[in-house]
Amino acid sequence: DDAFNFTRTRLRRYRQARHIWEAAVEWWMQEGVAFVAQLGDFVDGSALDSPGGGLGALATLLRPMRRAGAPPVLNLLGNHE
């Protein structure tokens, strides 16, 4: 969902991010990409308040990548969490 940054000075617009991500996964599958490198900061610290915390949010976002035909994912740690 949309949320303010940690200093509450800027609204971060996340509301459509999950749908955009799912559309990207569909496109990668259609294009037959070899793999996806996820370079970190995929889930930010505000996810700690969600059910399952950051790991729960990450599991939800990676669910489309577990579908048959989805490319493998290389997850790298971000520079914040």
Side-chain angles (χ1 to χ4, degrees), residues 1 3-4 6 12 14 42-58 61 80-81:
D1 209 5
F4 281 96
F6 294 108
R12 295 176 175 179
Y14 299 123
F42 196 47
V43 174
D44 90 359
S46 64
L48 296 175
D49 296 332
S50 63
L55 290 176
L58 182 61
L61 289 172
H80 297 290
E81 281 83 33

Side-chain angles (χ1 to χ4, degrees), residues 54-70:
L55 290 176
L58 182 61
T60 297
L61 289 172
L62 290 177
R63 193 171 297 131
M65 298 301 291
R66 293 192 195 107
R67 293 178 33 209

Side-chain angles (χ1 to χ4, degrees), residues 9-80:
T9 57
R10 187 173 196 170
L11 181 63
R12 295 176 175 179
R13 304 209 180 265
Y14 299 123
R15 188 159 300 186
Q16 296 301 317
R18 183 171 168 190
H19 302 291
I20 293 167
W21 165 252
E22 290 169 352
V25 173
E26 288 295 324
W27 185 80
W28 294 330
M29 290 172 65
Q30 291 171 8
E31 292 296 313
V33 299
F35 70 96
V36 173
Q38 192 280 105
L39 302 177
D41 296 340
F42 196 47
V43 174
D44 90 359
S46 64
L48 296 175
D49 296 332
S50 63
L55 290 176
L58 182 61
T60 297
L61 289 172
L62 290 177
R63 193 171 297 131
M65 298 301 291
R66 293 192 195 107
R67 293 178 33 209
V73 179
L74 172 63
N75 292 297
L76 302 174
L77 293 176
N79 61 346
H80 297 290

